[in-house]
Amino acid sequence: MDSVEKKFLKLGAENAPGQEGQQNNDVISLIGDKIPGRPVDFSHGDVDAFQPAPGALDNFVEGVQIGGKQAYTEYRGSKEIREITAGKLAAFTDSKIDPEKNLIITPGTQGALFLAMGSVISRNDKVAIVAPDYFANRKLVEFFEGEVVYISMDYLNFTSGAGLDLRQLEEAFKSGVKLFLFSNPNNPAGVIYSPDEIKEIARLAQDYDVQVIVDQLYSRQVFDGHSYTHLAAQNILNPENLITIMGPSKTESLSGYRLGVAFGSSKIINRMEKLQAIVSLRAGGYNQAVLKSWFHEPEGWMAQRIAQHQAIRDDLVTKLRLIQGFQVRATEAGSYLFPKVPELTVTIEEFVKILRIQAGVIVTPGTEFGPAFTDSFRMNFSQDHSAAVDAIERIGKVVEGYRK
Amino acid sequence: MDSVEKKFLKLGAENAPGQEGQQNNDVISLIGDKIPGRPVDFSHGDVDAFQPAPGALDNFVEGVQIGGKQAYTEYRGSKEIREITAGKLAAFTDSKIDPEKNLIITPGTQGALFLAMGSVISRNDKVAIVAPDYFANRKLVEFFEGEVVYISMDYLNFTSGAGLDLRQLEEAFKSGVKLFLFSNPNNPAGVIYSPDEIKEIARLAQDYDVQVIVDQLYSRQVFDGHSYTHLAAQNILNPENLITIMGPSKTESLSGYRLGVAFGSSKIINRMEKLQAIVSLRAGGYNQAVLKSWFHEPEGWMAQRIAQHQAIRDDLVTKLRLIQGFQVRATEAGSYLFPKVPELTVTIEEFVKILRIQAGVIVTPGTEFGPAFTDSFRMNFSQDHSAAVDAIERIGKVVEGYRK
C-alpha cells in the first residue's frame, strides 16, 4: 500500500456529520418496528427552522452588482470587507486586529482551520488536541502527518469550566508540543472554558512557546448565567503565537455561503494566504460581501435567537435525563449536546445507523470526536423545537431495544 | 529554519495573478514619464467587460430559497446538481460519468486541482508537469513534497499541436513518474494539444501506468480553424487513472461564485471528497445551484462570446508583433497570450512592476509558469477591446526605455 493510500484510509468520512447517505444500510437487523415521526437531522443545524440572518442575500446581490472588483479580491479577501470585519471582531474579542496584516477571509471556518493547520505544522510535529473536540481536528493533524497528543476534558463532572486537564496540558507542552488546537465553546460538549482555564492556557503557551489555534465558531451564542473569555484578550500570550477562528455559519445560519475568518498572528496569516492561493484562491468573491451584515443583525435579533435555542436546550436536557442511564451536561454556549448513553448491545456507530433507519433521527457518533467516546453521540439542537423534542422520545424508545 | 518555514518560502504569492497590490513599489527607478491611459489588468479576465453568463444569479437566489437542503449538501456536492452536470459534461467530453461515483463539485477549479493533487501524490513522488504551465502546478507539487519533472513544450515554433516533447514525456514516465498534470488548452500559451499528442499521452500513461490530471478550464472557448480533443474520450486510457477538471470561471465569467468540477476516476473522486471534508467541507451550497445554468446559456450566447474574444486576439497579436523583438503564437483556445520579449535591461519581474507603475498595465511574469520563462509574460485578453489594444501601445512604449 502506498503512503497516500494509507493516509486516506485514516480520513474516513462516512460517519462525518451530513454524510449519512453514504452509509451502508443493510448490515443491521432492527429490533422492533420503525417509529413514525417527523425526521430530524441533528448532524447540523436546520437553516429552515432557523433562517439565515437578515440582509445576507441582499449583500450577496450587491456584491454581484459591484462586479469584477468583488469577484477578484486579493486571496486574503476584499480589503474593504477585511476592514469592516476587523473592526467588529476587535471589539468583540477585545484584541487588536490590523485588517492589512492580521485577518484573512476563508471558505468557511473549516477553510480557516485547514489553512491555519497547514501553515503551522508539518511531518512529525506534536499537536495537542482536546478529547472530545471537533471531528476534523484529529484528521487534520493526520493529513499533515503530525502526531496527535490528546488532552482529556472531564466535561461531564465539571461544573465550573470546561474541565480541561491542565496538568496533562503542561506535560504535553513540556514534551515538545508545537501547536495546541481547541474549540471554545467545546464542540461537541457545548461547554465554555472558564476565565481561569483560558488564563492558564495562555500562560502555558507563553511559557513553552507553543502556538495556539482557537476555534470560536459558537462564541456569540452564550446562554444565561454564563460568560465567555477570549484567549485573544489575554495579554500574557504573544499575539504572534495565536490564531482565532470565527464565522457566521452557526448562530447566524449562513453556512450555505461558506464564510469564515481567521485573525491574529501576521506570520501565520501570511502563510495562510500563500496556501489559500493553491487551495481555492479565495473565499467566493461575491460571498465575501455577506460579511457586511455580520455583527450587524437587526436590534434584538441575536437575543431572540439565543433565547429560542436556550428554550430548546432546556426541553432536550430535561427529556434526555429522563431516559434511564443517560448522562448529559447542559449546553453553556452553542447548539451542541453530547449525551452519554447506557451500555448497549450494539456499537455507537451501529446505534447511530439504527436511530436513523428506525426512528428517522440523525446524530453523530461520539467516536468522530475522539476514539474513546464509544458511548456518546452529538446532537446539534438548532432544530424545529417540537420536532426536536419528539425526536428525543423516539431515541428513548429505540434505546430500550438495545439496552444491555 | 523548520520544515514548514522552508515549505512556505517556496510558496511566494506576490507575483501571482491578482496579488500585485502586495508588491513593493519603491525599488525601481523609472526611465521616462508615466504613460497615461485607461488601466488594464491582464492578470485575469475583466468580468465587467464580459459579464457573467445569464441566469447565474437567478439560480443562486433559487438555491437560497431551497434552504437547508441546498446549504448542507454532501461534501461532493448536491446529488441533483451532480446528476445535471454529469450529463452535460459526459456529452461535452464524449465520456461516461456516473454522477454518484465519478464527479465532485469543488470551490473553483483551483479547489479541484488541490484536492486531486492531494489525493494522488505524497512525499517524494515524481510528478511530470509541462513548462510552461499554470503557475499553481509547481507549487502544488512542492506543497505535497513531490518532485517536479519538467516536460518541455516548444509552443513558439510548433504550428500543429502544442509542441509537447513526447520523447521527454516517455523518458519521465520510464523514470517512475506517478502523475502527469497538464492544462489543455495550455495556460499560459493558449495552444491546444493535437489529436496525435492527446492519443500519445493516453498511450504512454496506459503503458507506464501513470495517473493523469488534465485541466480543461478553457476548453469551451475554441477559435476558428481549431478543434479540441478530450483525453477522457481516449478509450486506450484506463478511466480510473484519469481526472478531468473544468469549471465556469473563465469563458462564462462566473469566477465570483467559486465553482469547479472534477470528474473521472471513482477512486480519486472518493479521496477528493474525504479531503474536501477537512479542507472546506463543500463548495458553497447556494453557489452550487449556479451550475444549473452551465452549458445552458441562451442560444448564440457562447458563439458570440467566442467571436468577441477572437476579435480581441486578432488585434492584440497584430499589435504585439509590431513591437520590435516580440514573438507570440496566436491563441487557439482560451484567453491567454504569452509573448516573448526582446532582451531587456531589467528582469521580467522588474519589467512587470514597471509596466504597472509607468503604464497602468498589469501582466504576469513568465517565471510564474516555469523558472525558465524569464523573457515572457502572460496576458488574459478577456478585457474591454479598445482598452486592451491601447494597453499594447503603452507596452510598446515602455519596452523602448528598457531595451538592451
Side-chain angles (χ1 to χ4, degrees):
Chain A
M1 196 186 304
D2 67 6
S3 60
V4 76
E5 194 162 350
K6 272 188 212 148
K7 199 183 233 184
F8 278 90
L9 275 180
K10 290 190 198 165
L11 274 188
E14 69 150 27
N15 289 313
Q19 293 297 97
E20 296 76 12
Q22 294 190 0
Q23 289 169 4
N24 187 343
N25 283 343
D26 43 37
V27 288
I28 300 163
S29 57
L30 303 181
I31 298 168
D33 296 329
K34 292 202 178 186
I35 307 167
R38 185 172 151 191
V40 179
D41 182 354
F42 287 109
S43 74
H44 55 71
D46 180 354
V47 300
D48 299 328
F50 287 99
Q51 296 273 322
L57 183 56
D58 293 342
N59 280 315
F60 184 93
V61 172
E62 208 183 284
V64 174
Q65 282 156 357
I66 290 171
K69 200 184 139 198
Q70 189 67 50
Y72 284 94
T73 72
E74 280 186 44
Y75 299 146
R76 63 175 61 199
S78 149
K79 188 171 188 287
E80 180 204 355
I81 294 165
R82 275 186 283 126
E83 281 165 3
I84 295 169
T85 309
K88 295 187 284 196
L89 291 173
F92 179 67
T93 61
D94 190 19
S95 68
K96 281 184 192 155
I97 307 171
D98 179 341
E100 280 298 301
K101 294 179 180 170
N102 300 127
L103 187 141
I104 184 169
I105 302 170
T106 58
T109 52
Q110 184 69 49
L113 199 53
F114 181 83
L115 297 174
M117 296 286 281
S119 297
V120 173
I121 62 169
S122 62
R123 192 161 65 258
N124 301 329
D125 283 340
K126 285 187 186 177
V127 180
I129 63 180
V130 176
D133 211 325
Y134 179 50
F135 72 96
N137 293 2
R138 174 179 52 84
K139 294 179 186 178
L140 282 162
V141 179
E142 283 169 353
F143 182 75
F144 291 114
E145 302 180 52
E147 184 192 321
V148 173
V149 180
Y150 285 111
I151 313 297
S152 309
M153 195 180 77
D154 190 9
Y155 58 95
L156 265 181
N157 297 308
F158 261 69
T159 48
S160 64
L164 190 72
D165 189 330
L166 290 162
R167 264 192 231 170
Q168 233 181 65
L169 189 70
E170 180 157 14
E171 285 308 312
F173 285 10
K174 261 189 202 163
S175 80
V177 156
K178 188 173 179 188
L179 171 72
F180 177 45
L181 164 66
F182 72 109
S183 58
N184 185 21
N186 175 268
N187 171 357
V191 297
I192 303 176
Y193 287 77
S194 69
D196 285 348
E197 285 175 318
I198 290 297
K199 262 180 214 138
E200 186 62 6
I201 289 168
R203 188 188 71 78
L204 291 172
Q206 183 64 23
D207 284 359
Y208 293 96
D209 198 26
V210 171
Q211 296 173 89
V212 184
I213 299 173
V214 56
D215 170 357
Q216 301 197 164
L217 185 50
Y218 254 131
S219 58
R220 296 185 74 192
Q221 186 175 311
V222 177
F223 296 136
D224 285 353
H226 299 281
S227 66
Y228 188 93
T229 311
H230 291 277
L231 188 54
Q234 306 301 309
N235 293 325
I236 49 172
L237 179 60
N238 177 356
E240 277 298 310
N241 279 345
L242 176 63
I243 288 287
T244 304
I245 290 171
M246 287 188 65
S249 286
K250 298 293 181 183
T251 308
E252 303 84 348
S253 299
L254 301 180
S255 184
Y257 292 96
R258 287 284 78 210
L259 283 166
V261 295
F263 54 98
S265 165
S266 61
K267 181 177 167 182
I268 299 175
I269 297 286
N270 271 337
R271 288 183 182 172
M272 289 174 73
E273 180 177 47
K274 288 179 177 183
L275 187 48
Q276 180 132 296
I278 61 168
V279 170
S280 63
L281 292 184
R282 59 181 73 78
Y286 305 142
N287 301 49
Q288 291 178 34
V290 171
L291 286 176
K292 288 181 184 172
S293 57
W294 196 30
F295 280 89
H296 221 275
E297 297 82 11
E299 182 83 29
W301 185 91
M302 184 57 76
Q304 192 197 9
R305 179 145 289 200
I306 295 172
Q308 288 167 326
H309 281 86
Q310 189 169 310
I312 299 173
R313 176 204 66 176
D314 290 343
D315 284 354
L316 262 53
V317 168
T318 305
K319 284 265 177 196
L320 285 166
R321 286 180 177 158
L322 290 174
I323 308 174
Q324 200 201 328
F326 266 58
Q327 294 177 61
V328 65
R329 182 164 164 193
T331 315
E332 297 170 355
S335 296
Y336 294 118
L337 282 166
F338 195 54
K340 184 173 171 177
V341 301
E343 268 202 278
L344 302 175
T345 56
V346 291
T347 68
I348 195 71
E349 289 84 2
E350 287 167 337
F351 181 69
V352 162
K353 283 186 197 176
I354 290 163
L355 263 188
R356 177 168 58 83
I357 298 165
Q358 199 160 2
V361 176
I362 296 177
V363 301
T364 306
T367 44
E368 285 290 300
F369 308 95
F373 300 93
T374 55
D375 54 3
S376 303
F377 60 79
R378 190 193 72 173
M379 314 170 66
N380 184 319
F381 60 78
S382 185
Q383 308 290 342
D384 177 87
H385 192 140
S386 69
V389 171
D390 292 349
I392 307 294
E393 299 267 354
R394 300 209 292 285
I395 292 174
K397 286 180 187 161
V398 173
V399 163
E400 294 316 315
Y402 303 89
R403 198 186 279 283
K404 216 172 214 172
Chain B
M1 196 187 302
D2 67 6
S3 58
V4 77
E5 195 163 348
K6 272 188 213 149
K7 198 183 233 184
F8 277 90
L9 276 179
K10 290 191 198 164
L11 274 187
E14 69 150 24
N15 288 314
Q19 293 297 98
E20 296 76 13
Q22 294 191 1
Q23 290 169 3
N24 188 343
N25 282 345
D26 44 36
V27 289
I28 300 163
S29 56
L30 303 181
I31 298 168
D33 296 330
K34 293 202 179 185
I35 306 167
R38 184 171 151 192
V40 179
D41 181 354
F42 287 110
S43 74
H44 55 71
D46 180 355
V47 300
D48 298 328
F50 287 99
Q51 296 273 322
L57 183 56
D58 293 343
N59 280 316
F60 184 94
V61 173
E62 208 183 285
V64 175
Q65 283 156 357
I66 291 171
K69 200 184 141 200
Q70 189 67 48
Y72 285 94
T73 71
E74 280 186 43
Y75 299 147
R76 64 176 60 199
S78 148
K79 188 171 189 289
E80 180 204 355
I81 294 165
R82 274 186 283 125
E83 282 165 2
I84 295 169
T85 309
K88 295 187 283 197
L89 291 174
F92 179 67
T93 60
D94 190 19
S95 68
K96 281 184 192 157
I97 307 171
D98 178 341
E100 280 297 301
K101 294 180 181 170
N102 301 126
L103 187 141
I104 183 169
I105 301 170
T106 58
T109 51
Q110 184 68 50
L113 199 54
F114 181 83
L115 297 175
M117 295 287 279
S119 297
V120 172
I121 61 169
S122 62
R123 192 162 64 258
N124 302 328
D125 283 341
K126 284 187 184 176
V127 180
I129 64 180
V130 176
D133 210 326
Y134 179 51
F135 73 96
N137 293 2
R138 173 179 54 85
K139 294 179 185 179
L140 282 162
V141 179
E142 283 168 354
F143 182 75
F144 291 114
E145 301 179 52
E147 183 192 321
V148 172
V149 179
Y150 284 111
I151 313 297
S152 308
M153 195 180 77
D154 190 8
Y155 59 95
L156 265 180
N157 296 308
F158 261 68
T159 48
S160 65
L164 190 72
D165 188 330
L166 290 161
R167 263 191 232 171
Q168 231 182 67
L169 189 70
E170 180 156 14
E171 285 308 312
F173 284 10
K174 261 187 200 164
S175 80
V177 154
K178 188 173 177 187
L179 170 72
F180 177 46
L181 165 66
F182 72 109
S183 59
N184 184 22
N186 176 268
N187 172 357
V191 297
I192 302 177
Y193 288 76
S194 70
D196 284 349
E197 286 176 317
I198 291 297
K199 262 179 213 138
E200 186 63 5
I201 289 168
R203 188 187 70 78
L204 291 172
Q206 183 64 23
D207 283 359
Y208 292 97
D209 197 25
V210 170
Q211 295 173 88
V212 183
I213 299 173
V214 56
D215 171 357
Q216 301 196 168
L217 185 49
Y218 254 131
S219 58
R220 296 185 75 192
Q221 186 175 310
V222 177
F223 295 136
D224 285 352
H226 298 281
S227 67
Y228 188 93
T229 310
H230 291 277
L231 188 54
Q234 306 300 309
N235 293 325
I236 48 171
L237 180 61
N238 176 357
E240 277 298 311
N241 280 345
L242 177 63
I243 287 288
T244 303
I245 290 171
M246 287 188 65
S249 287
K250 298 292 182 184
T251 309
E252 303 85 349
S253 299
L254 301 180
S255 183
Y257 292 96
R258 288 283 79 210
L259 283 166
V261 295
F263 53 98
S265 165
S266 61
K267 182 177 166 182
I268 299 174
I269 297 287
N270 270 338
R271 288 182 182 172
M272 289 173 72
E273 180 176 46
K274 288 180 177 183
L275 187 48
Q276 179 131 297
I278 61 168
V279 170
S280 63
L281 293 183
R282 59 180 75 78
Y286 305 143
N287 301 50
Q288 292 177 34
V290 171
L291 286 176
K292 287 181 184 171
S293 56
W294 196 29
F295 280 89
H296 221 274
E297 298 82 11
E299 182 83 29
W301 184 90
M302 184 57 77
Q304 193 198 8
R305 179 146 289 201
I306 294 171
Q308 288 167 326
H309 282 86
Q310 188 168 311
I312 299 173
R313 176 203 65 176
D314 290 344
D315 284 353
L316 263 53
V317 168
T318 304
K319 285 263 176 197
L320 285 165
R321 287 181 177 156
L322 289 175
I323 307 174
Q324 199 201 329
F326 266 59
Q327 294 177 60
V328 64
R329 181 163 165 193
T331 315
E332 297 170 355
S335 295
Y336 295 118
L337 282 165
F338 196 53
K340 185 173 171 178
V341 301
E343 268 201 281
L344 302 175
T345 56
V346 292
T347 68
I348 194 71
E349 289 84 1
E350 286 167 338
F351 181 69
V352 161
K353 282 186 200 178
I354 290 164
L355 263 188
R356 176 168 58 83
I357 297 166
Q358 199 160 1
V361 176
I362 296 178
V363 301
T364 306
T367 44
E368 285 289 302
F369 308 95
F373 299 93
T374 55
D375 55 3
S376 304
F377 60 80
R378 189 192 73 172
M379 315 170 66
N380 183 320
F381 60 79
S382 185
Q383 307 291 342
D384 178 86
H385 192 140
S386 69
V389 171
D390 292 349
I392 306 295
E393 298 268 354
R394 301 208 292 285
I395 291 174
K397 286 180 189 163
V398 173
V399 163
E400 293 317 316
Y402 303 90
R403 197 187 280 283
K404 217 174 213 170

